Amino acid sequence: MSQPTTSRRTLGLTVAAAACGLLLAGAAQAQQAPLKVGFMLPATGTFAALGDFIEKGFKLHVQEQGGKLGGREIQYFKVDDESDPSKATDNVNKLIKRDQVDVIVGTVHSGVALAMARAARESNTLLIVPNAGADAITGAQCAKNIFRSSFSNWQPGYAAGVVAAGKGYKRAMTITWNYAAGQETVKGFTEAFEKGGGKVAKELTLPFPNVEFQALLTEIAAQKPDVVFAFFAGGGAVKFVKDYDAAGLKKTVPLVASGFLTDGTLEAQGASAQGILSTLHYADNIDTPRNNAFRKSFALTYKANADVYAVQGYDAAQMLAAGLNAVKGDFSKRDAMLEAMNKAVIDSPRGKFSLSPQRNPVQDIFLREAKGTNNELRGVAVKALADPGRGCRG
Ligand code: PHB
């Protein structure tokens, strides 16, 4: 076999060098290409305001980082999920298949989020859930590429049960929408309330997102329990709190609620919400430099007061940043990025939190009281509460 001539060898080297240069240029370009973030959030319906504040919170953190996370520009895509589980798979595939996003951020409604989690798992797309509490997302249906910046439904429900039992209430009724979030929140409440010596006498439900509460309120008035535990949110929560007051129940049967009942809603609920006790992983007046700076920045940017949804959106961006910073924006270093996200301590306006092995926040659940337009801190209902992550393998 003849040796290549010098000139052929030189040519070979030149071609190799050029190919190498192209590769390097390609890598640099990939590094600089914007990271595609797809928001799947409700823009219409009873949860529309919640979706809006999640998006605002997320964008605020990105803006505070100079428009980049881990050195990457962010390009946004958007789908209105209408809080409709029957459209969820089609909607999430618009982001995964059509827009080919790198990361999905969504959503509010537990039923929609469960379908999103399935699609994210099957396509191995990174998903950060900035609200929906469906327990299975960081439980039986957990996956290494699925994270939550918010809570599991069990968490605020369980903490409310601790509070209600601690106040000496013995007989409770619960009222909620009949879907995953309502059912699981009530389950958490019941677990702690009955462990504390109480008894849930009756669970009242109506279909999501109905707001015809009258017949159920009449039943509460007839049964006169010691306490009512409620989970509603958004527009539905506004109507429930007003109807509860109008039915005369506010004066006779105390409400203890999952904090969503009065979060982002106090202006619209007015006098009817004053004094309502609730449990949640955020309170408006947490007096720390971190929370004060966040609320100031949010108010300056959006001319509105931040709420729990804004915090969860903001922290979703912080979690993504933790992953991207660890790999200097190189999204292809997937394992290292996911591990850094899981190990991160997030400096949240709610207080620092870490993630459970199932990738759900381990966090203090606060007791709050509605005062004016704030949910004021009254104490810590349960410290560093970790969702049990039941059924998660992986
Ligand atoms: C949910 O469906 O998981 C959900 C919706 C609204 C909230 C909280 C949880 O405010």
Side-chain angles (χ1 to χ4, degrees):
M1 223 168 136
S2 66
Q3 292 291 317
T5 62
T6 306
S7 66
R8 275 170 71 197
R9 210 178 293 144
T10 311
L11 182 66
L13 286 174
T14 312
V15 169
C20 194
L22 271 177
L23 271 178
L24 283 175
Q29 216 170 36
Q31 197 103 345
Q32 281 157 15
L35 190 86
K36 294 176 164 189
V37 172
F39 288 120
M40 180 154 152
L41 293 166
T44 50
T46 200
F47 290 158
L50 289 52
D52 180 41
F53 269 47
I54 289 168
E55 182 177 336
K56 283 187 160 90
F58 189 99
K59 288 183 166 169
L60 181 64
H61 182 68
V62 174
Q63 179 192 303
E64 287 174 356
Q65 305 307 304
K68 290 185 182 179
L69 298 183
R72 300 276 297 269
E73 299 275 352
I74 305 293
Q75 186 181 8
Y76 294 110
F77 296 78
K78 242 169 118 155
V79 167
D80 173 11
D81 67 40
E82 304 170 50
S83 296
D84 185 346
S86 73
K87 297 181 184 166
T89 302
D90 283 349
N91 277 331
V92 75
N93 278 328
K94 287 181 194 159
L95 294 173
I96 295 172
K97 296 191 174 145
R98 183 192 65 193
D99 302 330
Q100 307 204 326
V101 300
D102 298 300
V103 189
I104 303 169
V105 177
T107 188
V108 170
H109 183 287
S110 274
V112 176
L114 285 166
M116 294 173 72
R118 201 169 311 121
R121 222 178 23 253
E122 281 164 10
S123 61
N124 198 23
T125 310
L126 176 58
L127 170 65
I128 306 175
V129 179
N131 184 71
D135 292 341
I137 288 174
T138 53
Q141 293 182 40
C142 75
K144 288 208 163 23
N145 56 312
I146 299 178
F147 291 79
R148 187 146 52 191
S149 65
S150 50
F151 61 94
S152 73
N153 288 323
W154 179 88
Q155 285 176 309
Y158 184 89
V162 170
V163 168
K167 285 189 170 295
Y169 299 132
K170 294 289 176 223
R171 234 177 106 251
M173 284 175 85
T174 63
I175 181 164
T176 189
W177 282 311
N178 192 11
Y179 80 114
Q183 292 155 358
E184 292 172 355
T185 307
V186 163
K187 215 165 154 203
F189 173 82
T190 305
E191 186 182 328
F193 187 61
E194 298 200 337
K195 213 192 279 174
K199 178 87 196 128
V200 172
K202 186 142 194 199
E203 295 182 359
L204 303 173
T205 61
L206 71 171
F208 176 87
N210 288 10
V211 289
E212 282 74 43
F213 301 116
Q214 216 46 57
L216 302 177
L217 294 176
T218 303
E219 196 171 343
I220 292 171
Q223 300 254 341
K224 296 192 187 63
D226 298 336
V227 65
V228 165
F229 171 73
F231 166 82
F232 294 104
V238 172
K239 175 126 190 325
F240 177 77
V241 165
K242 289 185 149 193
D243 287 4
Y244 198 85
D245 187 18
L249 286 166
K250 185 162 193 272
K251 291 195 201 78
T252 53
V253 184
L255 259 181
V256 171
S258 157
F260 303 108
L261 191 73
T262 53
D263 225 277
T265 53
L266 285 174
E267 227 158 278
Q269 288 163 333
S272 298
Q274 297 304 300
I276 292 180
L277 292 179
S278 67
T279 50
L280 205 62
H281 46 287
Y282 186 60
D284 295 310
N285 66 333
I286 293 173
D287 192 13
T288 57
R290 186 72 182 99
N291 188 45
N292 292 336
F294 162 75
R295 293 189 72 85
K296 193 167 160 199
S297 173
F298 192 92
L300 276 174
T301 308
Y302 300 116
K303 315 283 172 267
N305 288 325
D307 59 14
V308 71
Y309 306 104
V311 172
Q312 294 170 166
Y314 189 84
D315 290 343
Q318 294 210 80
M319 284 163 61
L320 178 58
L324 285 171
N325 286 334
V327 295
K328 300 197 169 48
D330 184 352
F331 203 72
S332 68
K333 294 191 173 139
R334 164 68 69 119
D335 290 348
M337 188 185 69
L338 297 182
E339 198 183 318
M341 286 178 73
N342 206 166
K343 296 239 165 84
V345 174
I346 302 299
D347 191 8
S348 169
R350 74 188 89 167
K352 287 191 175 148
F353 70 84
S354 56
L355 293 175
S356 67
Q358 303 84 16
R359 295 159 287 273
N360 188 66
V362 178
Q363 55 194 341
D364 293 348
I365 308 291
F366 304 108
L367 174 64
R368 312 109 46 88
E369 180 178 352
K371 271 271 155 84
T373 53
N374 275 345
N375 285 289
E376 290 190 359
L377 188 61
R378 288 287 173 266
V380 178
V382 186
K383 195 141 187 61
L385 186 61
D387 181 272
R390 291 171 186 131
C392 174
R393 284 175 296 273

